[in-house]
Amino acid sequence: MSQLIINGKLFVAFICLFILASCSNYGTKVTFPDHKGEVYYKGDGVTEADAKAVGKFLESQQFFLKDDKKRSVQISKDSGRVKARFVVDEKALATIPNVDESFALMGALMSKEVFNNTPVDVVFTDEFFKDIKTIPYKAGALAAVNVREEINQMQKKEYNKNTLYYTKDIPNEEADTISAYLVKNGFFTKDGNNDLIVAKNPGNGFHVSFLIKASFANEEGLQKADNFGKEMKRDLFANVPLEFEVLNENLESVKTFNY
């Protein structure tokens, strides 16, 4: 299991350390008054307004920071897809856990918030905007973004480093019962770092989700998850349908059990 990060900020600005080399072929540059971030737009299909919107988006994600570091991004469009190129330091990239997944989320969120769901491929580049590696747009990452947004609207109860997230239509007394059950049954432990997400389904019943590490996403691990879901069904949701969903650390669905 793993602790869920729900603040919605993909805080990876420190990896962009190179100063963009001087050249006139990068496109048209847009700068911003509050920081040294810059967005270039190049070619047909992208505009100054798009570049400004990308800049504002990167501010909201705390990628463009109010410090003295210049961070350079270029946007272009190819075959109906947006290419968002980020100047990066490869050595710094190598030190960041799950960096590709973080930028996949960045691309998915940019797709949704800036480009009206047009796929956004994230590209790592050198200081000449020469491609190093492409992180293709992932529809699953967009689903994860939606899950993240839903969780941000939920209430929560904490037990040490464990957290129960629950929708506002679930009474606090019911959430207390669920939380106490998780402690009693060892899911929430004193030194644990686990999360459980509980929501009411629009029709009838409940949807419960929890995160697993990649090493747990195998036949044995999913069988343990199934057993846990069956226990919750029996002890907490005996009279209503229960959907029990396993998520990976990027909030992407691994498997759903229905009881």
Side-chain angles (χ1 to χ4, degrees):
M1 319 297 177
S2 61
Q3 183 70 19
L4 176 64
I5 300 173
I6 62 151
N7 62 6
K9 309 301 183 189
L10 305 176
F11 190 72
V12 288
F14 64 91
I15 71 168
C16 292
L17 303 179
F18 283 145
I19 300 299
L20 187 65
S22 178
C23 179
S24 60
N25 195 35
Y26 297 147
T28 304
K29 181 169 68 173
V30 173
T31 58
F32 304 87
D34 297 329
H35 52 78
K36 291 190 175 182
E38 56 187 21
V39 179
Y40 291 79
Y41 63 99
K42 183 177 181 179
D44 296 333
V46 288
T47 66
E48 180 180 0
D50 291 329
K52 289 180 177 179
V54 167
K56 293 298 182 184
F57 167 79
L58 294 175
E59 289 172 4
S60 73
Q61 294 302 307
Q62 296 183 4
F63 187 90
F64 282 166
L65 300 177
K66 296 179 180 179
D67 58 19
D68 60 354
K69 292 185 174 64
K70 182 177 287 187
R71 299 177 177 90
S72 302
V73 178
Q74 181 198 67
I75 58 170
S76 60
K77 204 167 188 181
D78 180 29
S79 301
R81 301 172 73 91
V82 174
K83 303 291 184 181
R85 290 181 167 84
F86 292 78
V87 176
V88 300
D89 180 341
E90 288 187 89
K91 290 183 179 179
L93 271 183
T95 68
I96 305 171
N98 303 315
V99 67
D100 288 3
E101 291 79 4
S102 293
F103 271 97
L105 286 174
M106 176 82 83
L109 194 58
M110 189 185 297
S111 167
K112 180 179 180 179
E113 295 191 1
V114 181
F115 292 105
N116 195 29
N117 296 321
T118 299
V120 175
D121 300 323
V122 172
V123 184
F124 299 148
T125 82
D126 64 14
E127 68 271 34
F128 298 97
F129 276 135
K130 182 179 178 180
D131 296 0
I132 298 172
K133 183 178 182 179
T134 297
I135 310 299
Y137 171 80
K138 291 174 59 178
L142 183 57
V145 167
N146 293 333
V147 171
R148 186 190 297 269
E149 291 180 350
E150 291 172 5
I151 293 169
N152 279 326
Q153 303 301 315
M154 291 183 177
Q155 302 182 95
K156 63 181 180 179
K157 291 186 179 294
E158 297 179 313
Y159 176 76
N160 293 327
K161 294 182 180 180
N162 309 279
T163 306
L164 169 67
Y165 296 92
Y166 61 101
T167 50
K168 295 177 181 179
D169 54 357
I170 296 176
N172 284 329
E173 296 79 8
E174 191 169 353
D176 285 334
T177 298
I178 297 171
S179 182
Y181 175 85
L182 296 172
V183 173
K184 180 180 178 181
N185 286 271
F187 185 79
F188 283 176
T189 62
K190 290 183 178 180
D191 57 352
N193 206 24
N194 298 322
D195 296 300
L196 197 80
I197 307 159
V198 182
K200 280 191 174 181
N201 278 333
N204 185 28
F206 288 80
H207 186 99
V208 173
S209 307
F210 81 110
L211 282 77
I212 61 172
K213 292 182 178 179
S215 59
F216 200 76
N218 51 42
E219 184 175 352
E220 180 182 358
L222 292 175
Q223 183 60 59
K224 291 180 179 178
D226 186 18
N227 293 340
F228 178 46
K230 288 175 179 175
E231 291 175 4
M232 291 195 71
K233 165 66 176 176
R234 180 194 66 204
D235 298 335
L236 293 174
F237 306 103
N239 300 317
V240 295
L242 174 64
E243 295 176 350
F244 191 74
E245 184 177 22
V246 180
L247 305 173
N248 65 21
E249 292 175 294
N250 300 314
L251 301 182
E252 298 169 333
S253 182
V254 176
K255 188 169 184 177
T256 300
F257 301 93
N258 292 279
Y259 311 113

